[in-house]
Amino acid sequence: INAEYMGLQTEPPQYVWKAAVPAWVADHDAPQCHECHASFTFFLRKHHCRRCGNVFCNSCSSRKIEMPQLNFNTPVRVCTKCHKVVKKQQEDDKRSNSS
């Protein structure tokens, strides 16, 4: 089954600040981590990235970051890829606001 058919996002959205939080992938549609492909078990638990909505293991979603534009004013769980995108956008925003 391909990812588009299942409604899964294959890459994190490039535009950081959307009007709404993304729809989460349903737990039953995610038998394995979206990044490392480890199969979920009773001990390897599922976690949703608050930015892209995909399902990850703890190792692949252990970063936390604030995203006030999405109404997350305290740090929330995000995947590794989304963390990089958000961090870069926040740094770019700081640079453009300071000039």
Side-chain angles (χ1 to χ4, degrees):
I1 299 176
N2 72 32
E4 289 179 41
Y5 174 78
M6 294 178 60
L8 304 176
Q9 295 182 22
T10 55
E11 291 294 322
Q14 295 303 309
Y15 297 99
V16 177
W17 315 130
K18 295 188 207 176
V21 176
W24 282 11
V25 172
D27 283 345
H28 65 271
D29 288 336
Q32 59 190 7
C33 175
H34 187 72
E35 188 170 325
C36 73
H37 307 290
S39 294
F40 293 117
T41 66
F42 180 75
F43 298 103
L44 185 64
R45 303 200 49 200
K46 299 177 181 186
H47 302 279
H48 284 85
C49 173
R50 300 314 192 267
R51 181 169 175 270
C52 69
N54 285 318
V55 181
F56 299 88
C57 67
N58 185 60
S59 296
C60 296
S61 64
S62 61
R63 296 182 180 266
K64 293 186 175 187
I65 196 162
E66 292 179 16
M67 295 183 289
Q69 292 82 351
L70 296 178
N71 293 322
F72 293 122
N73 297 314
T74 59
V76 293
R77 182 182 294 269
V78 292
C79 68
T80 305
K81 289 180 182 179
C82 284
H83 185 269
K84 288 178 185 176
V85 172
V86 171
K87 194 79 168 162
K88 182 181 183 323
Q89 184 66 49
Q90 289 176 342
E91 290 168 359
D92 290 348
D93 288 351
K94 281 183 185 177
R95 274 195 290 275
S96 66
N97 289 338
S98 65
S99 38

